[in-house]
Amino acid sequence: MGKKPATYADLEALPEHVVGELVAGELYASPRPTARHASAAIRLSSELVGAFQRGRGGPGGWVFLGEQELHLHQDVLVPDLAGWRLERMPDVLETAATSLAPDWVCEVLSPSTRKLDREAKLPVYAREGVRHVWLMDPQTRTLEVFRLKDGRYEALLTHTGVAPVRAEPFDAVELDLAFIWGRTMS
């Protein structure tokens, strides 16, 4: 007999010090992110919010949320960062979760989540029509940029190091990867 699919009640029963996600009926429990992981996510969001949410030095038109619980049909995912075009999400939610798939997600890779992020979550994002996915690895200082095409992700860019970069869908501004990786304090 097959294993019983995990439920939202299983996710709620997890201890507070883990991040729980449900993908294809399987419960994934990951440790809270390390400081380096969290720092990369917050630094990336600081680079994006000014130009793309506030419209300072960039086009505006986006809403960003960190660790937003996404209820995408039977799956419950928690990307490190997610962005919605303003016309799709004109107001920030009053709830802890949303069923509105983002236009962009960024997963900050760590040894404990690398396989989950790449193998289990990417197909869900593709199924839900998330147009852009970024995978960031602060340990190797690598940014991978993907765009959804014909239901699958195509790699647009793999950038390693600290040189500034422009990456879809935020290529209107240059991202300071040295800052994002925590190599400079400016």
Side-chain angles (χ1 to χ4, degrees), residues 47 52 57 163-167 170-177:
E47 289 280 289
F52 294 95
V165 67
R166 291 180 185 266
F170 307 113
D171 49 348
V173 299
E174 197 170 70
L175 297 175
D176 183 352
L177 286 180

Side-chain angles (χ1 to χ4, degrees), residues 60-63 84-91 100 103:
W62 286 80
V63 172
W84 291 260
R85 294 196 180 272
L86 195 56
E87 61 267 13
R88 293 189 59 238
M89 183 186 280
D91 295 312
L100 180 62
D103 296 294

Side-chain angles (χ1 to χ4, degrees), residues 28-138:
Y28 292 87
S30 304
R32 297 296 310 165
T34 65
R36 175 176 277 182
H37 178 119
S39 176
I42 197 89
R43 286 170 179 250
L44 173 60
S45 68
S46 73
E47 289 280 289
L48 296 175
V49 165
F52 294 95
Q53 188 160 331
R54 295 188 72 191
R56 291 189 173 174
W62 286 80
V63 172
F64 298 100
L65 298 171
E67 295 191 358
Q68 179 68 38
E69 191 171 287
L70 304 175
H71 290 222
L72 305 173
H73 293 92
Q74 73 277 13
D75 300 305
V76 178
L77 307 182
V78 183
D80 292 293
L81 296 170
W84 291 260
R85 294 196 180 272
L86 195 56
E87 61 267 13
R88 293 189 59 238
M89 183 186 280
D91 295 312
V92 175
L93 305 168
E94 294 290 334
T95 60
T98 182
S99 60
L100 180 62
D103 296 294
W104 166 85
V105 297
C106 179
E107 296 287 1
V108 181
L109 304 177
S110 62
S112 63
T113 65
R114 183 172 278 109
K115 184 174 181 172
L116 169 65
D117 292 338
R118 284 188 183 282
E119 296 177 17
K121 293 169 79 171
L122 276 180
V124 176
Y125 292 141
R127 179 193 76 210
E128 297 299 319
V130 177
R131 183 123 171 89
H132 291 90
V133 173
W134 290 9
L135 300 178
M136 290 179 43
D137 189 332

